[in-house]
Amino acid sequence: MLDAIKDAIRPAHAPADHPKVKMGRIGILLANLGTPDHYSYWPMRRYLNEFLSDKRVIDYPAWKWQPILQGIILTKRPFSSGAAYKSIWNHDKGESPLMTITKEQTAKLSAKLQEVHGDKVLVDFCMRYGNPSTRSKVAHMTAEGCDRILFFPLYPHYAGATTATANDQFFRALMHETWQPASRTVPAYFDHPAYIDALARSIESAYAKMDSRPDILVCSYHGMPERYLKQGDPYHCQCVKTTRLLKERLGWDDDQITSTFQSRFGPEEWLKPYTVDHVADLAKQGKKNIAVVAPAFSADCIETLEEINEEIRESFEEAGGEGFTYIPCLNSDDAHIEALARLVDENIRGWID
């Protein structure tokens, strides 16, 4: 059937009067967190409402959380978040940087996979929150003859609030399909050699361009409440292991690299040390020149371009820091695309020769 994937065919087991259908392709569906359609108030409010109503993200009881969200947070936060998005917005393309980069990743990965597999694979992307929705892309893939779908959350590290909720949404999308495709999900790849190598090469490249070597590299990971760790979420352990593997790959000493956590939200204690506080402490300790990288993000977004490059940089400089270098995410770098392609090929074994 794979030699007829471009055109609808009659299934081999079907009677002569059975309608022809497209089938025989493998869908590779990349998934990222999401982005508002615009930085103005109502698009921001819709996006934040969907994001902050997710029980995987905020697990407080609805009777307690929703009045706070709808009555206080969604009245004020769309303005502040909108201003932050506006400061990093890709005005030429009319979209957020995350959208631009995800499109580039998808195009480059599609081209690379088609070199090997031709039209047997269809590569596309979706967002957990906002557009394009997971449901719309699953429907598109099945309509294009994908009877197998590999769902690929672009989160190197597993967390309930990222990988799990993306998978949840994928499985909900499958519930709407009359003829469900066979499906697989890509597991966390925080320790995959190709990912670690791509990360190390990006740091080596950035360091080679600097006039003076930073005193320390800060690996800033997205944070989560400490309570989630105690409930069994492996995210913290996976982040720490990535830093260790990166250190070993680079051949560095322990004092040349450290792990921190950013993006606190709400009154609870979150994973520590907090990036915004720790960089200030480093400056006070005499480490006046630092570099920051965000290994948990596959693409630059509001948390890296605005939070790290503005808020965290400001905290460091106000504490006496002098040299602050943000090393971009892997984005659509060739080594990153190569790593993603390897992960795809490893996870579609048995589906394709």
Side-chain angles (χ1 to χ4, degrees):
M1 290 182 288
L2 288 176
D3 57 353
I5 54 178
K6 290 186 177 180
D7 301 308
I9 61 173
R10 185 177 298 109
H13 61 275
D17 60 349
H18 191 286
K20 294 182 178 181
V21 295
K22 290 183 178 181
M23 57 192 306
R25 303 183 82 178
I26 298 173
I28 312 298
L29 185 55
L30 307 177
N32 217 320
L33 182 74
T35 172
D37 294 326
H38 194 263
Y39 51 78
S40 55
Y41 180 83
W42 287 109
M44 282 302 314
R45 182 177 176 118
R46 285 193 297 271
Y47 174 75
L48 291 171
N49 183 47
E50 183 180 10
F51 175 45
L52 297 176
S53 291
D54 186 347
K55 293 286 287 185
R56 290 276 196 181
V57 176
I58 306 292
D59 66 350
Y60 300 148
W63 64 265
K64 178 188 294 186
W65 174 241
Q66 282 297 321
I68 298 172
L69 176 63
Q70 302 299 329
I72 301 175
I73 295 174
L74 292 181
T75 299
K76 298 180 179 179
R77 187 150 180 159
F79 291 109
S80 58
S81 294
Y85 267 98
K86 185 178 181 179
S87 71
I88 64 164
W89 201 254
N90 185 340
H91 294 278
D92 291 338
K93 293 183 179 294
E95 60 192 19
S96 73
L98 178 65
M99 180 66 76
T100 302
I101 294 166
T102 305
K103 288 178 179 178
E104 293 171 352
Q105 291 172 328
T106 302
K108 291 184 73 170
L109 181 61
S110 179
K112 189 165 190 65
L113 291 174
Q114 287 192 355
E115 289 177 2
V116 179
H117 305 299
D119 287 337
K120 295 177 183 178
V121 297
L122 172 63
V123 182
D124 208 340
F125 75 95
C126 65
M127 299 293 184
R128 170 60 184 90
Y129 313 105
N131 296 306
S133 70
T134 305
R135 181 178 173 183
S136 70
K137 291 300 185 176
V138 168
H140 172 71
M141 284 189 160
T142 57
E144 289 299 312
C146 296
D147 51 25
R148 289 149 294 174
I149 295 179
L150 178 67
F151 186 69
F152 195 160
L154 290 176
Y155 306 112
H157 310 78
Y158 176 94
T162 54
T163 310
T165 190
N167 288 341
D168 289 345
Q169 196 74 346
F170 173 58
F171 296 133
R172 279 192 285 266
L174 291 175
M175 293 172 64
H176 296 277
E177 297 302 312
T178 301
W179 188 353
Q180 289 183 331
S183 303
R184 296 175 180 172
T185 61
V186 176
Y189 53 97
F190 63 97
D191 57 354
H192 194 285
Y195 161 70
I196 296 295
D197 187 61
L199 198 58
R201 287 164 63 180
S202 74
I203 293 164
E204 289 170 339
S205 177
Y207 271 46
K209 297 173 184 176
M210 297 181 195
D211 294 332
S212 59
R213 182 184 177 87
D215 299 316
I216 192 168
L217 174 67
V218 177
C219 294
S220 181
Y221 298 90
H222 199 288
M224 68 162 54
E226 284 185 352
R227 175 168 53 87
Y228 292 6
L229 170 63
K230 295 174 182 177
Q231 291 171 350
D233 194 300
Y235 178 75
H236 177 268
C237 298
Q238 292 182 358
C239 292
V240 172
K241 185 173 183 181
T242 290
T243 300
R244 177 176 64 80
L245 292 174
L246 180 60
K247 178 199 70 175
E248 292 171 358
R249 162 61 179 78
L250 291 168
W252 289 3
D253 296 328
D254 289 347
D255 62 356
Q256 294 178 289
I257 189 170
T258 188
S259 298
T260 62
F261 299 88
Q262 63 182 87
S263 308
R264 275 184 291 170
F265 178 81
E268 291 188 74
E269 290 293 314
W270 280 43
L271 298 177
K272 296 176 181 176
Y274 301 141
T275 305
V276 69
D277 296 334
H278 192 65
V279 296
D281 291 338
L282 289 173
K284 294 171 185 176
Q285 293 165 12
K287 297 187 183 299
K288 302 297 186 179
N289 184 11
I290 69 171
V292 180
V293 68
F297 298 89
S298 63
D300 277 306
C301 55
I302 192 74
E303 285 86 356
T304 63
L305 298 175
E306 194 276 336
E307 185 177 357
I308 291 179
N309 229 355
E310 296 184 24
E311 177 186 347
I312 292 170
R313 176 193 292 271
E314 183 178 316
S315 176
F316 175 70
E317 291 175 349
E318 286 183 350
E322 298 171 0
F324 183 100
T325 301
Y326 169 62
I327 299 174
C329 293
L330 294 177
N331 295 327
S332 59
D333 181 81
D334 288 345
H336 189 210
I337 301 303
E338 176 64 32
L340 298 181
R342 282 186 58 181
L343 284 158
V344 168
D345 281 335
E346 290 171 6
N347 281 275
I348 61 174
R349 287 175 182 167
W351 276 359
I352 197 167
D353 293 333

